[in-house]
Amino acid sequence: MPEDTVGAFVPGPHAQVAGAATGPLAGLHCAIKDLYDIAGWPTTYGNPDWARTHPVPDSTATVVTMLLQAGASVVGKTKTVELAYGLTGENVWHGTPTNPAAPDRFPGGSSCGSAAAVAARLVDFAMGSDTAGSVRIPASYCGIFGIRPSWGAISLAGAAALSPPYDTPGWFARDAATLRRVGEVLLPTQPSATPTLLLKPSEAWANADPDAAESLAPAIARLEALLGPAIPVSLVPEGLATLYETFRCGSAPEVWAALGPWISSTSPEFGPGVKERFAAAAAMDPALAAQARAFRRVFQSRMHALLAGGAVLAYPTAPGPAPFLTATQAEQNAERERTISVTSIAGLPGLPEVTLPLGTADGAPVGLSLVAAPGRDLALLALAERLVP
Amino acid sequence: MPEDTVGAFVPGPHAQVAGAATGPLAGLHCAIKDLYDIAGWPTTYGNPDWARTHPVPDSTATVVTMLLQAGASVVGKTKTVELAYGLTGENVWHGTPTNPAAPDRFPGGSSCGSAAAVAARLVDFAMGSDTAGSVRIPASYCGIFGIRPSWGAISLAGAAALSPPYDTPGWFARDAATLRRVGEVLLPTQPSATPTLLLKPSEAWANADPDAAESLAPAIARLEALLGPAIPVSLVPEGLATLYETFRCGSAPEVWAALGPWISSTSPEFGPGVKERFAAAAAMDPALAAQARAFRRVFQSRMHALLAGGAVLAYPTAPGPAPFLTATQAEQNAERERTISVTSIAGLPGLPEVTLPLGTADGAPVGLSLVAAPGRDLALLALAERLVP
């Protein structure tokens, strides 16, 4: 493996496990976000107190085992935002990985190290995980391909939880073919499904920086050549910010249920922003959370009804390029809200989303997302490959 | 039956056939558009030369037999535009029926007599047929309920053809419950389907008179209470006029194939406008027709993909109220194009459409249409009844 010039890997000796000699991923090297267990190696979850208070695992996460059996070799564990609770990719304990595509900007998180390792060509692909955008956003920011699969399609056994009703695995690659090959190993068999219709959700396009949206026009034109003219649709007459609020209020009790007991008993040290986010999760008003859960179901039905016939949504993965490393916490928070408003389109209803590095704004990458009905992951991956062969 | 004060029925003795003593429609009286055969009674198809050159049928159209067996009694045959080829409802041979809801305006056609008979309370329901809007438009203009079912769902055996790939039967009633009861007799068993999502096609709303659209706002609000907030969607980025052109060019060869041989051999006399429309159908450029057939398939796929999950489209059935009886032929033609642009949303892809008399403009009725995926006729009829119990 080339030298880790971007600080993608967790400091210390690299967790290295050779894959099977033969298999569909034979010869590929991958990195694993440090919230998946690998037997014999500590799982830090991005935080020294977590590492200190958890035994070294004696078993390996299901997805890692599947990759090894398919022939991929693990070359190390990659940095994550502490407890995966953040979108910039900052980690004050391990050091924030460099964004290889825009070194003066954040790499995006929480799967920051995996994205940086792929973008810096240190590995062929890397596993991350995604709750609010933790694969999609770093993929968009670092200019690579990424997927958040249908919720529940792939096991998270042996992975640390953040907010289970929203958590999914996910992975990164530099080309659509590799992204699909990994999907064919990890995803269950799915009924073949041909995308039939291209929908452009007005709110997501209006929410994006104008130059970011404009830079994706050629990609939309190529999609239209495959699927016919894009149909503008408004997904959230209630306003896009409703999706952010629904995610914020609905996921908080799950976050606190998953991690509150450990935080309360351990009183860990956290970097800037992380502590505040957990405090907010702990303090969530149950009435707001119930309202959010109810709206999540409404939105889920709406999206399933819209996409059941094979329609594909296309929109900018993130509203703009990665924030600068010099952004204030307030600026980061504002961008976080604007970003989660968009990532929640797929995140709340558990839809598969593939992001492709097809846009730029202000000289930095912006992804184009393709989203479909649950269970159409492989169809999306195939569409991505047709679009960027 | 009350006196025919609106001129709904074909002149001469009324075709009367008693229905079965028992059955789901027992006790109801209906009228039948004079393009359905009833054994022993002439089928005029709205034109004296047609009547003269066709023998009195010795069998009865399938739908009429189904209605009789279900207990409905036929009290007469109603006027149609000549060969069903027109949307105003004018018939210079039999006299244009009066629009009971707006006597200074056209009743709408081609099923003009059936609509007038229902609106004037002469019958409980009436059968029409619909190719470009011939049930939906007179229902909208006369302020009654009407349905164009999924294409192919109900037999047209024993009915004169206009453009078979577009022709459907259809019927009118003054209330949603009766409309549904007739549907339960005529429609095949359909998988139960709950409408899940309300879509407002932007082009159809923009195409309507502002006061007509405005008058439907309370109905949309009631729909939203049942289905959640309406989602704006653009169905035809190519422009709504593309649908008119597709219908015009795509249906013409079928019209000429169905009726050209008779017209060529008989040289019938036609009223104003009808002759010109048939001449245009005969002269259609095959290249334009082929292009239209191709776009019809594209639009069909698009609509099926959009509605497969249970979404329902809602929009004004017609762009405005019926044209005045004093409208020039040029004014009528312009309104016809604007109207077929909208009726083609359901007509081209063969979608079921129910129109409800829930709007007004300039003191005359305008319908609200509900449209769903093929095979969801009964779900639409049930939704109409929930909306207007």
Side-chain angles (χ1 to χ4, degrees):
Chain A
M1 192 183 74
E3 195 192 344
D4 181 8
T5 49
V6 293
F9 288 85
V10 174
H14 282 198
Q16 299 195 329
V17 191
T22 59
L25 303 180
L28 295 186
H29 294 87
C30 71
I32 305 293
K33 183 179 187 179
D34 195 19
L35 58 63
Y36 291 100
D37 286 346
I38 299 181
W41 294 90
T43 302
T44 71
Y45 210 176
N47 178 277
D49 288 319
W50 183 276
R52 181 177 57 77
T53 57
H54 287 80
V56 172
D58 55 11
S59 63
T60 296
T62 301
V63 289
V64 177
T65 302
M66 290 171 84
L67 295 173
L68 292 168
Q69 289 175 347
S73 292
V74 172
V75 300
K77 299 188 83 174
T78 46
K79 293 174 183 172
T80 168
V81 171
E82 292 169 74
L83 281 53
Y85 210 25
L87 281 180
T88 60
E90 180 176 51
N91 188 310
V92 296
W93 311 109
H94 294 157
T96 303
T98 300
N99 182 338
D104 53 348
R105 297 174 184 267
F106 281 107
S110 64
S111 311
C112 47
S114 290
V118 168
R121 315 186 75 87
L122 306 182
V123 291
D124 298 302
F125 71 94
M127 290 301 301
S129 66
D130 191 308
T131 301
S134 284
V135 166
R136 296 164 286 168
I137 295 308
S140 180
Y141 288 176
C142 291
I144 56 177
F145 292 81
I147 177 172
R148 171 190 164 98
S150 301
W151 185 87
I154 298 177
S155 171
L156 278 169
L162 172 56
S163 187
Y166 302 85
D167 295 347
T168 72
W171 55 97
F172 304 91
R174 282 184 305 280
D175 59 90
T178 305
L179 202 75
R180 179 187 53 72
R181 283 173 65 192
V182 175
E184 284 175 351
V185 166
L186 295 181
L187 287 161
T189 305
Q190 297 180 329
S192 74
T194 306
T196 51
L197 181 64
L198 183 61
L199 302 176
K200 278 180 77 176
S202 323
E203 297 94 343
W205 287 92
N207 184 60
D209 294 344
D211 55 344
E214 182 57 35
S215 76
L216 294 169
I220 292 295
R222 294 213 302 279
L223 270 172
E224 289 184 313
L226 296 175
L227 298 177
I231 307 289
V233 59
S234 162
L235 302 179
V236 207
E238 300 86 354
L240 198 63
T242 304
L243 298 189
Y244 169 71
E245 282 302 310
T246 300
F247 179 82
R248 183 180 73 87
C249 301
S251 65
E254 312 287 350
V255 167
W256 196 246
L259 297 170
W262 175 77
I263 293 172
S264 300
S265 63
T266 309
S267 298
E269 278 198 81
F270 282 128
V274 180
K275 183 177 184 169
E276 290 73 11
R277 287 195 284 277
F278 280 114
M284 178 53 60
D285 176 352
L288 284 180
Q291 196 179 319
R293 276 192 293 269
F295 185 74
R296 186 192 187 198
R297 282 192 296 273
V298 166
F299 187 66
Q300 196 161 37
S301 303
R302 185 184 297 174
M303 297 302 289
H304 289 195
L306 192 65
L307 302 177
V312 170
L313 302 172
Y315 51 90
T317 305
F324 287 109
L325 293 167
T326 51
T328 64
Q329 197 68 44
E331 287 167 344
Q332 291 178 35
N333 286 344
E335 189 65 10
R336 186 171 179 276
E337 294 192 14
R338 194 163 74 114
T339 302
I340 292 179
S341 293
V342 177
T343 58
S344 293
I345 292 173
L348 289 172
L351 311 176
E353 177 172 345
V354 171
T355 175
L356 303 85
L358 298 178
T360 55
D362 202 12
V366 175
L368 177 72
S369 271
L370 304 177
V371 171
R376 296 178 187 254
D377 309 70
L378 290 169
L380 275 188
L381 289 166
L383 177 62
E385 201 174 348
R386 283 177 72 197
L387 196 64
V388 191
Chain B
M1 194 183 74
E3 194 192 348
D4 182 7
T5 50
V6 292
F9 288 86
V10 174
H14 281 199
Q16 299 195 329
V17 191
T22 59
L25 303 181
L28 295 187
H29 294 87
C30 69
I32 305 293
K33 183 181 186 178
D34 195 18
L35 58 63
Y36 292 99
D37 285 346
I38 299 181
W41 295 90
T43 300
T44 72
Y45 210 177
N47 178 278
D49 288 317
W50 183 275
R52 181 176 57 76
T53 56
H54 287 80
V56 172
D58 55 11
S59 64
T60 297
T62 302
V63 290
V64 177
T65 302
M66 291 171 82
L67 295 173
L68 293 167
Q69 289 175 347
S73 292
V74 172
V75 301
K77 298 187 85 173
T78 45
K79 293 176 184 172
T80 169
V81 171
E82 292 169 76
L83 281 53
Y85 210 25
L87 281 180
T88 59
E90 181 176 51
N91 187 310
V92 295
W93 312 109
H94 294 158
T96 303
T98 299
N99 181 337
D104 54 347
R105 296 174 184 267
F106 280 107
S110 61
S111 312
C112 47
S114 290
V118 168
R121 316 185 74 86
L122 306 183
V123 291
D124 297 303
F125 71 94
M127 289 302 299
S129 66
D130 190 307
T131 301
S134 284
V135 166
R136 295 164 286 167
I137 295 309
S140 181
Y141 288 176
C142 291
I144 57 179
F145 292 82
I147 178 173
R148 173 192 162 96
S150 302
W151 186 85
I154 298 177
S155 172
L156 278 170
L162 172 57
S163 187
Y166 301 84
D167 295 347
T168 72
W171 56 97
F172 304 90
R174 280 185 305 281
D175 59 90
T178 304
L179 202 76
R180 179 187 53 71
R181 283 173 66 192
V182 175
E184 283 174 353
V185 167
L186 295 181
L187 286 161
T189 306
Q190 298 180 329
S192 73
T194 306
T196 51
L197 182 64
L198 183 62
L199 301 177
K200 278 180 77 175
S202 323
E203 296 94 343
W205 287 91
N207 183 62
D209 294 344
D211 56 344
E214 182 58 36
S215 76
L216 294 169
I220 292 294
R222 295 213 301 280
L223 270 173
E224 289 184 314
L226 296 175
L227 297 178
I231 308 289
V233 59
S234 162
L235 301 179
V236 207
E238 300 86 354
L240 197 61
T242 305
L243 298 189
Y244 169 70
E245 282 302 309
T246 301
F247 179 82
R248 183 179 74 85
C249 302
S251 65
E254 312 288 349
V255 167
W256 196 247
L259 296 171
W262 176 78
I263 293 173
S264 300
S265 63
T266 309
S267 298
E269 277 197 81
F270 283 127
V274 180
K275 182 178 184 168
E276 290 74 10
R277 287 195 284 279
F278 279 114
M284 179 54 59
D285 176 352
L288 284 180
Q291 197 179 318
R293 277 192 294 269
F295 186 73
R296 186 190 186 197
R297 283 192 295 274
V298 167
F299 188 65
Q300 196 162 38
S301 303
R302 185 185 296 172
M303 297 303 289
H304 289 195
L306 192 67
L307 302 177
V312 170
L313 302 172
Y315 53 89
T317 305
F324 288 108
L325 293 168
T326 51
T328 64
Q329 196 68 42
E331 287 167 345
Q332 291 178 35
N333 286 344
E335 188 65 10
R336 185 170 180 275
E337 293 193 15
R338 194 163 75 114
T339 302
I340 292 180
S341 292
V342 177
T343 58
S344 293
I345 293 173
L348 289 173
L351 311 175
E353 175 171 346
V354 172
T355 176
L356 303 85
L358 298 177
T360 55
D362 202 12
V366 175
L368 176 71
S369 271
L370 304 176
V371 171
R376 295 178 187 256
D377 309 69
L378 289 168
L380 275 188
L381 288 166
L383 178 62
E385 200 174 349
R386 283 177 72 197
L387 196 65
V388 190

